């Protein structure tokens, strides 16, 4: 039998309500913050990610699903959402439209990773992009949006950590300090970190290898190298968050895995998700759009991993209750009452009552069993006599009480009593 590719997951009908819950919460929160959905292609020209995500990142170096299409063009399944949104924003000239530009996405993303709990090869992200606003209010708005989303899911033990990684001016001095610090330790560090040392030493702080983490723990902190503007920006973001009641701590170790960040970076971390503790990450990326051939447009955004959210919701005991069954199951006793049940079901559906009838030629007893198992709220039984009377015995499956109800009144009867 052919099996699902490694690192992918099926969502079965019995579990999909969990995803609906996250998706509905995401859409509602986005609406409250006036962000509209944007949809971009699942694959893009490889060049977009090389340039947009950054060619010193793990994503671009090791994790991309890249292939040549039949026309010989190199394309890549999107490993994240921001690059595609930024491309669309530039391609459609949206900078000339209503600003700030505020969009959210819900996508599947693809990274060739070593699969484990909360780390998949196809995974799902809910993310937001806010372009055009350079001030700290925009950072605070994006973080507050992310925070509201997590709280609306009922999560209480997810902690916000925030840092500033400065701008290209103050970071140059910091890179020098980092290189001086790491130089004597390089021999004991992983090969990736030795490469990062040359290309982008800050990336070493994001290494997940224990030995490297230990060395990184003693490294100089970007916060001590911020220029006055970056410092003021960071302080203002924090002050706005504090005033808005968004609890947070400063964590100098946060640098984020993508190359395009500047100034504010943040992560929402859960102890419950184990090694893959970051459920949502984001920050400011003021140079991204410029790097992609656009003019400079300031940007801030975040992305949440939906599989990790589910893991954390489970560990916090915040999974929603399963969806209920149909409003009414119409059981038929014989051929003619089954036909009547089929037609009646269609009438009821038109009136807003969700219905099912037997499609398996089961006995009335077996039909009842099915209705019970699938959580039908009411069961109406139709037989020869019921058809003559134009009325059916209707059983309330919650209370187990029964009543005789005229068929033409059945829809109203159920609509009044369901829920
Ligand atoms: P990590 O450090 O865990 O590899 P990342 O920095 O690569 O995460 P981002 O690129 O910032 O992650 O993506 C945002 C969010 O998407 C992460 O915080 C996480 O919740 C989720 N995510 C990233 N990679 C995966 C994956 N392979 N499987 C499941 N979720 C993921
Ligand atoms: Mg990663």
């Amino acid at each position: 039998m052919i099996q699902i590719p490694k690192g992918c997951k099926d969502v079965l009908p019995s579990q999909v309500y969990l995803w609906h819950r996250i998706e509905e919460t995401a859409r509602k929160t986005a609406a409250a913050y006036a962000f509209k959905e944007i949809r971009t292609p699942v694959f893009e020209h490889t060049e977009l990610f090389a340039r947009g995500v950054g060619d010193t990142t793990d994503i671009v170096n090791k994790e991309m699903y890249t292939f040549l299409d039949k026309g010989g063009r190199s394309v890549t399944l999107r490993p994240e959402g921001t690059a595609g949104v930024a491309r669309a924003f530039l391609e459609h000239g949206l900078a000339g439209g209503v600003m700030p530009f505020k969009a959210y996405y819900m996508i599947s993303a693809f990274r060739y990773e070593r699969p484990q709990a909360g780390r998949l090869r196809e995974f799902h992200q809910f993310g937001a992009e806010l372009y055009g606003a350079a001030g700290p209010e925009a950072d605070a708005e994006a973080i507050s949006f992310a925070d509201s989303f997590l709280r609306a899911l009922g999560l209480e033990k997810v902690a916000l950590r925030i840092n500033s990684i400065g701008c290209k001016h103050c970071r140059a001095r910091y890179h020098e300090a980092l290189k001086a610090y790491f130089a004597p330790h390089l021999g004991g560090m992983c090969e990736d970190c030795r490469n990062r040392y040359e290309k982008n030493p800050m990336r070493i702080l994001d290494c997940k290898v224990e030995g490297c983490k230990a060395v990184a723990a003693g490294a100089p902190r970007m916060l001590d190298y911020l220029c006055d503007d970056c410092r003021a920006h960071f302080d203002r973001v924090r002050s706005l968050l504090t005033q808005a009641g968004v609890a947070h701590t400063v964590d100098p170790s946060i640098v984020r895995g993508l190359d395009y960040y500047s100034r504010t970076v943040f992560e929402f971390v859960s102890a419950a998700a184990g090694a893959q503790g970051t459920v949502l990450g984001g920050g400011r990326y003021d140079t991204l759009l410029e790097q992609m051939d656009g003019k400079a447009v300031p940007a801030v955004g975040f992305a949440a991993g939906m599989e990790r959210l589910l893991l954390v919701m489970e560990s916090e005991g915040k999974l929603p209750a399963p969806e209920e069954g149909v409003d009414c199951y119409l059981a038929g006793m014989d051929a003619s009452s089954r036909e009547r049940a089929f037609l009646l079901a269609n009438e009821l559906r038109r009136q807003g009552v969700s219905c099912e009838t037997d499609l398996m030629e089961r006995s009335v007893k077996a039909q009842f069993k099915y209705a019970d198992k699938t959580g039908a709220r009411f069961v109406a039984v139709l037989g020869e006599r019921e058809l003559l009377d134009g009325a059916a015995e209707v059983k309330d499956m919650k209370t187990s009480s029964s009543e005789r109800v005229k068929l033409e009144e059945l829809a109203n009867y159920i609509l009044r009593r369901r829920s």
Side-chain angles (χ1 to χ4, degrees):
M1 193 189 53
I2 298 174
Q3 293 185 334
I4 192 169
K6 209 173 149 187
C8 299
K9 271 194 175 158
D10 297 313
V11 179
L12 301 178
S14 59
Q15 295 295 305
V16 80
Y17 71 95
L18 297 169
W19 287 83
H20 289 166
R21 172 65 195 279
I22 295 183
E23 289 160 9
E24 279 159 18
T25 306
R27 289 186 198 286
K28 263 197 198 155
T29 314
Y33 281 80
F35 282 63
K36 290 212 169 78
E37 187 178 4
I38 182 165
R39 300 186 184 191
T40 63
V42 169
F43 63 90
E44 299 267 4
H45 294 298
T46 302
E47 178 64 15
L48 176 74
F49 301 114
R51 226 195 289 175
V53 179
D55 50 18
T56 72
T57 60
D58 281 357
I59 295 180
V60 171
N61 286 328
K62 299 193 279 196
E63 299 174 356
M64 292 209 303
Y65 277 90
T66 297
F67 57 97
L68 293 179
D69 70 9
K70 299 225 189 299
R73 285 169 290 261
S74 178
V75 293
T76 295
L77 301 182
R78 63 180 164 212
E80 52 94 64
T82 294
V85 176
R87 179 202 48 70
F89 173 82
L90 294 172
E91 193 164 339
H92 297 277
L94 301 185
V98 179
M99 292 296 270
F101 170 80
K102 301 198 287 183
Y104 76 90
Y105 56 81
M106 260 194 273
I107 59 169
S108 54
F110 307 85
R111 295 184 194 175
Y112 193 78
E113 301 219 56
R114 199 164 64 76
Q116 46 195 300
R119 191 174 291 286
L120 297 154
R121 289 182 176 172
E122 182 190 24
F123 63 101
H124 295 80
Q125 285 189 333
F126 164 57
E129 306 284 333
L130 199 171
Y131 298 165
E137 295 76 16
D139 308 50
E141 177 113 326
I143 295 172
S144 158
F145 177 177
D147 184 71
S148 299
F149 166 58
L150 298 174
R151 304 307 160 208
L153 288 175
L155 299 177
E156 286 160 7
K157 296 177 193 147
V158 176
L160 168 58
R161 296 187 191 158
I162 167 170
N163 189 24
S164 173
I165 56 169
C167 60
K168 52 178 182 275
H169 306 296
C170 47
R171 212 179 303 149
R173 217 159 56 84
Y174 179 58
H175 277 183
E176 291 314 310
L178 276 181
K179 283 190 140 177
Y181 171 81
F182 282 119
H185 299 286
L186 275 183
M189 301 180 77
C190 73
E191 195 190 324
D192 285 339
C193 280
R194 290 201 291 272
N195 282 327
R196 290 170 183 140
Y197 179 85
E198 297 302 334
K199 287 195 195 162
N200 186 352
M202 211 166 69
R203 185 97 307 123
I204 296 175
L205 304 178
D206 203 32
C207 185
K208 292 178 177 77
V209 175
E210 285 306 325
C212 302
K213 268 178 154 168
V215 179
R221 301 151 28 118
M222 182 64 223
L223 287 178
D224 298 326
Y225 289 79
L226 292 182
C227 62
D228 289 348
D229 284 353
C230 287
R231 163 60 60 189
H233 185 100
F234 187 55
D235 290 346
R236 180 72 181 141
V237 172
R238 293 199 56 206
S239 154
L240 286 169
L241 291 177
T242 304
Q243 292 179 66
V246 180
H248 61 279
T249 51
V250 174
D251 181 346
S253 74
I254 292 178
V255 296
R256 309 290 306 126
L258 313 180
D259 272 357
Y260 49 57
Y261 287 99
S262 50
R263 292 196 163 166
T264 314
V265 287
F266 58 91
E267 294 185 349
F268 284 84
V269 183
S270 162
Q276 271 64 58
T278 306
V279 293
L280 184 154
R284 177 166 279 288
Y285 24 96
D286 288 345
T287 53
L288 170 71
L289 285 132
E290 199 175 2
Q291 264 170 45
M292 290 174 48
D293 287 343
K295 55 179 173 116
V297 179
V300 56
F302 67 79
M306 292 162 82
E307 285 82 1
R308 289 190 199 175
L309 284 174
L310 274 177
L311 289 175
V312 176
M313 286 165 75
E314 186 176 8
S315 73
E316 281 200 31
K318 293 290 160 51
L319 290 182
E323 272 159 7
E324 303 200 333
V326 286
D327 296 325
C328 186
Y329 184 91
L330 294 165
M333 288 185 184
D334 54 20
S336 59
S337 56
R338 276 161 187 278
E339 186 179 289
R340 186 74 179 91
F342 172 81
L343 298 171
L344 185 57
N346 274 342
E347 276 171 45
L348 292 179
R349 289 171 188 138
R350 276 196 288 276
Q351 296 176 74
V353 177
S354 61
C355 280
E356 261 193 304
T357 61
D358 178 43
L359 299 175
M360 304 288 288
E361 300 191 35
R362 289 189 170 117
S363 68
V364 170
K365 196 175 158 205
Q367 290 181 59
F368 253 102
K369 218 166 149 187
Y370 172 86
D372 188 41
K373 221 177 178 171
T374 55
R377 179 69 170 79
F378 292 94
V379 177
V381 189
L382 297 176
E384 217 175 323
R385 221 188 76 206
E386 282 75 12
L387 295 193
L388 282 175
D389 292 0
E393 202 65 20
V394 179
K395 183 174 176 188
D396 182 332
M397 301 295 277
K398 258 191 197 158
T399 62
S400 285
S401 60
S402 293
E403 239 181 297
R404 210 162 174 82
V405 181
K406 286 207 162 127
L407 295 184
E408 69 258 28
E409 279 163 21
L410 189 54
N412 278 332
Y413 180 87
I414 291 167
L415 287 173
R416 261 184 278 119
R417 284 170 182 74
R418 75 173 174 195
S419 86

